[in-house]
Amino acid sequence: MRGGSNAIAAIAATDEQRAILRSDAARLLIEANAGTGKTTTLCMRALDMVHSGADPARILMLSYTAPGSLAIARAFERLGAPARLRKAFRIGSFDALCSARLKVFEGGETRALEHPEDLRAAVLAAVVTAREAAEARHPGAFTLRGGGELAVESLLRAFEHLKGTLALHQRQAEGWRLTPASAADTGHDYTTLAVFMAYERYRLVQITPDGERVRFRYTGDATYDLACLLDADDPAYTLETHPLCMGELHGLFVDEFHDMNRAMATVLKELLAQYPQLPLAAVGDVDQVIHAASGAQSWFLREGFDLEFGRAERFPLTQARRFGPAVADALGRFAAKPYPADRARRSTLRSVVCDGAIELTVHLRELLAQRAQAVPPRPAAGVAVLLRHPHAALDLEYLLLRYHVDYSTVGFTTYAARPELLFVRMVLAAAAEDEQAFTPTSLSAAKAATWAFIGGALPRDGADDPETATTIAAAPAGNFQRHLLPVLLERTERHDSARCIARAIALLREGGVAQLHAALRHLPVRELAAQVYVQAEDVRNAVDSVQALLRVVDTDRPASIAELLRVIRTQEERRESAAAQGASGLLLSTIEQAKGLEYDHVVIPGLGRGEFDGDDADERNLFYVAVSRGRDTVELVHGRGPVSRFVPAG
């Protein structure tokens, strides 16, 4: 019997938490609602295990992400665990554990890359390699045009899904070969798979004086590599050299189990096979499965748990701690599950009518003014605007900057720096002969984006200049607009697109801002985006971004193209200055990036009918996660027309 430690005394434990602590089950699964203290409960059980004689240095505390691992450490601190005890637990992300085990197995450190930009060169090299191989084997099947610079981010997202699901690993083990026809069966396009396979060959093989080594690992790669190693038909290890052999273990705790994917499950299943008597306690919420991009599946929290990891005793954790009944009751109805809350805990859930970005901006300014005037003042950083789609923020960002409201973005690039808008701004600047349209930082990005969308090469000695990229990077704004841009339009292989771009520039020169709608209709944004992005969602977002820019023009009514460009540049300078000074303001975030976090005041815009009310589980779970981030107030924002079916009636 458990429950004799001070863990219960450290907080006002609920009956549900007491039942979890008292269980002697070897496999225990906590099915937790959002905001119920699931991490704290897991840590309470770990402390109880230590009180019963377990060695904390032999207890693994795992989470899906590094922030999740930090949340575990903070939960121990809240529970009053001494610093020495907190440090003794083996706390870390799942990927960090896999990295440590591979280091032992491989006999050395592998270079760890932490930022997507660190992978850019490797991805672009893989694009070249994959294109050459595809043209030799399947001419015309490789659809990515140009160098692939704008496709890197979407390719990395696709790689994450392929690794999390082990989709290709399992097929390749059965003799699968990549063709345009076989690619269709995987749910990924041929081009993405070709680049992925070229990228992985480069990442995994580096010839050194000591033999072959893995060249580098990025986030998630250690889990993927270890899963592939463990899942191989002909293992490269013995019982004595098993990569998961790590001495005596007393307990295993896994937080954020709703993020479990096939690669992680493969490692976890093998770890439990190595330690069949190891107690396992896991916690998750089926309604928070929103990392489908990395292969997360609710199946692992449902019937898959017993099938993969052994039959578990299941416990509910339903009592809301983060928020009061107003939010908990609404979430309970939405998710069709019990969601009690402390009736003394005050929180507010309300619908707010804002027709368009102007009304939303006014609302946010009033909200921030009220917080600033409170006693004591409440910081703007306590307000989070959680967005279903990044492109939905463009109108809002523009107006926030127009009215000098500081903000930060998480999970997406600020509007003026998106490649498709940098390209459009360069077209406008060329038409207006405006050499001051960009800051030095954005000018470099705009030239690169414009070249990526147009393609082509500068001439030298009757052929293509291999130094085109260097020449473009070094060119001043005026030189690029007046000389290099026309040459690229003339020499690109995308002849139809080039004619459309030239026509758009001519219209703008003739009619100025009055011709902006007509000129942008001439820009084949969808076709251009399809040649530089890989994922269909990125193409849609590019089109939507340009449409949002037109809405901004209709709203703000600049007197000229030069005025529009000047306003955007001024906003860029303000953003760059604020970033340099570390200024904070309200937060604009994707819902995915907000998972696991909480805020005083959450605003969820875009809740009109057909905007955020899809039938798929991801859409539903995203709404659940967004609402459950708010501590004190959650505002559901929609226009005066029909509202999303997710918005509670009344």
Side-chain angles (χ1 to χ4, degrees):
M1 184 73 68
R2 299 186 183 278
S5 74
N6 292 324
I8 290 181
I11 65 169
T14 65
D15 290 342
E16 291 174 330
Q17 288 173 319
R18 287 188 173 89
I20 290 166
L21 290 176
R22 290 170 181 151
S23 172
D24 287 317
R27 297 282 187 274
L28 185 148
L29 178 60
I30 304 168
E31 299 173 314
N33 293 349
T36 56
K38 61 182 180 59
T39 303
T40 299
T41 304
L42 209 63
C43 292
M44 290 168 68
R45 186 169 171 89
L47 288 173
D48 197 61
M49 181 177 282
V50 172
H51 182 81
S52 299
D55 181 355
R58 299 185 182 279
I59 295 176
L60 300 177
M61 306 287 302
L62 302 180
S63 189
Y64 176 61
T65 60
S69 303
L70 181 60
I72 292 174
R74 287 175 175 166
F76 277 130
E77 187 174 3
R78 285 196 303 273
L79 290 168
R84 190 162 59 90
L85 176 57
R86 298 198 303 266
K87 292 178 180 178
F89 283 104
R90 295 165 70 171
I91 303 172
S93 69
F94 216 95
D95 202 49
L97 171 69
C98 294
S99 179
R101 299 318 308 160
L102 285 170
K103 178 181 177 180
V104 173
F105 178 75
E106 294 170 347
E109 196 89 50
T110 295
R111 186 161 64 110
L113 302 182
E114 299 179 357
H115 307 290
E117 50 267 29
D118 297 334
L119 308 176
R120 176 170 293 273
V123 175
L124 294 178
V127 169
V128 173
T129 301
R131 178 184 287 115
E132 291 174 351
E135 288 305 315
R137 297 170 189 159
H138 307 287
F142 196 88
T143 59
L144 181 61
R145 305 290 292 272
E149 290 84 358
L150 301 187
V152 170
E153 185 177 345
S154 61
L155 283 168
L156 288 174
R157 290 199 302 269
F159 295 177
E160 181 182 9
H161 184 266
L162 287 164
K163 292 180 179 185
T165 58
L166 295 185
L168 284 199
H169 166 76
Q170 294 172 339
R171 284 178 169 83
Q172 288 170 322
E174 299 166 358
W176 180 88
R177 293 292 181 268
L178 176 61
T179 67
S182 67
D185 297 332
T186 70
H188 291 272
D189 61 274
Y190 173 83
T191 298
T192 296
L193 297 182
V195 178
F196 173 74
M197 293 170 68
Y199 171 84
E200 282 298 288
R201 284 192 295 270
Y202 174 78
R203 183 183 71 83
L204 291 172
V205 180
Q206 180 180 25
I207 306 301
T208 73
D210 299 321
E212 289 187 2
R213 301 279 303 179
V214 175
R215 194 180 301 271
F216 63 82
R217 288 192 173 103
Y218 179 57
T219 304
D221 283 344
T223 304
Y224 173 69
D225 291 348
L226 184 54
C228 291
L229 177 68
L230 296 171
D231 196 48
D233 291 334
D234 185 16
Y237 53 84
T238 65
L239 287 175
E240 293 75 20
T241 62
H242 195 291
L244 291 177
C245 184
M246 57 184 91
E248 185 178 355
L249 292 177
H250 291 171
L252 172 60
F253 295 80
V254 183
D255 199 0
E256 300 179 320
F257 210 84
H258 40 257
D259 293 318
M260 182 65 58
N261 60 29
R262 173 52 60 189
M264 295 165 65
T266 299
V267 176
L268 179 58
K269 185 176 181 178
E270 185 62 24
L271 177 60
L272 293 172
Q274 282 292 110
Y275 296 87
Q277 304 305 314
L278 183 66
L280 166 66
V283 61
D285 180 359
V286 293
D287 294 302
Q288 291 194 64
V289 180
I290 63 172
H291 284 300
S294 58
Q297 299 178 50
S298 62
W299 182 81
F300 290 113
L301 270 172
R302 300 182 190 274
E303 64 271 23
F305 192 98
D306 292 353
L307 293 172
E308 297 280 338
F309 314 117
R311 187 168 183 80
E313 186 173 358
R314 294 171 181 256
F315 288 87
L317 190 62
T318 63
Q319 176 84 35
R321 290 181 172 274
R322 179 179 298 152
F323 37 74
V327 175
D329 291 350
L331 284 173
R333 290 191 297 271
F334 179 76
K337 61 185 180 182
Y339 223 132
D342 182 355
R343 294 288 151 182
R345 174 75 170 88
R346 297 294 298 276
S347 63
T348 301
L349 175 72
R350 59 174 173 250
S351 292
V352 175
V353 177
C354 290
D355 256 337
I358 291 181
E359 291 187 13
L360 178 55
T361 302
V362 170
H363 175 71
L364 291 172
R365 290 181 72 197
E366 292 174 350
L367 168 61
L368 295 177
Q370 292 168 6
R371 292 177 66 85
Q373 293 164 9
V375 181
R378 308 189 72 186
V383 179
V385 181
L386 303 185
L387 301 156
R388 175 65 183 94
H389 299 289
H391 69 265
L394 190 148
D395 318 47
L396 180 60
E397 280 193 81
Y398 181 91
L399 290 167
L400 289 173
L401 288 166
R402 198 78 159 106
Y403 294 102
H404 307 291
V405 178
D406 288 327
Y407 67 90
S408 58
T409 62
V410 177
F412 61 95
T413 303
T414 187
Y415 91 94
R418 296 177 196 173
E420 61 273 10
L421 291 185
L422 287 168
F423 163 61
V424 169
R425 288 171 61 196
M426 184 61 80
V427 169
L428 297 179
E433 298 181 353
D434 187 347
E435 299 181 20
Q436 306 301 318
F438 300 93
T439 67
T441 300
S442 64
L443 174 61
S444 297
K447 290 185 295 183
T450 301
W451 185 35
F453 275 100
I454 293 174
L458 300 174
R460 188 174 74 174
D461 299 330
D464 289 347
D465 185 357
E467 301 299 323
T468 292
T470 303
T471 303
I472 289 174
N479 179 265
F480 181 82
Q481 293 167 10
R482 287 191 300 272
H483 303 295
L484 303 190
L485 179 57
V487 172
L488 291 174
L489 288 171
E490 181 182 330
R491 292 176 57 83
T492 182
E493 295 179 353
R494 306 169 200 173
H495 304 297
D496 291 342
S497 297
R499 281 192 292 271
C500 292
I501 295 167
R503 177 58 180 154
I505 293 173
L507 276 173
L508 292 166
R509 284 176 176 163
E510 292 168 8
V513 72
Q515 288 294 320
L516 188 55
H517 275 271
L520 291 188
R521 279 199 299 271
H522 275 278
L523 283 182
V525 177
R526 185 179 302 278
E527 292 75 12
L528 289 169
Q531 296 178 98
V532 296
Y533 294 124
V534 175
Q535 305 301 315
E537 182 180 4
D538 294 312
V539 175
R540 288 194 298 270
N541 286 346
V543 174
D544 290 341
S545 291
V546 175
Q547 291 302 311
L549 180 64
L550 286 173
R551 290 197 302 272
V552 162
V553 171
D554 292 341
T555 299
D556 214 31
R557 298 187 179 279
S560 65
I561 293 173
E563 181 184 331
L564 173 63
L565 294 171
R566 178 183 56 77
V567 169
I568 296 176
R569 172 174 173 142
T570 300
Q571 293 179 347
E572 277 187 321
E573 290 171 339
R574 179 181 173 84
R575 290 278 299 153
E576 291 176 9
S577 174
Q581 296 172 17
S584 63
L586 69 85
L587 177 73
L588 304 183
S589 173
T590 60
I591 298 170
E592 291 90 338
Q593 289 296 317
K595 191 166 82 68
L597 305 175
E598 55 187 73
Y599 306 94
D600 296 342
H601 196 118
V602 165
V603 179
I604 309 171
L607 285 168
R609 180 78 54 81
E611 294 181 79
F612 188 176
D613 55 3
D615 294 327
D616 61 286
D618 269 3
E619 187 95 340
R620 175 189 167 282
N621 290 358
L622 282 166
F623 180 79
Y624 172 92
V625 168
V627 172
S628 62
R629 299 308 95 197
R631 284 190 291 260
D632 301 327
T633 304
V634 177
E635 294 184 327
L636 309 178
V637 181
H638 53 81
R640 290 174 175 79
V643 303
S644 165
R645 64 188 180 88
F646 293 163
V647 175

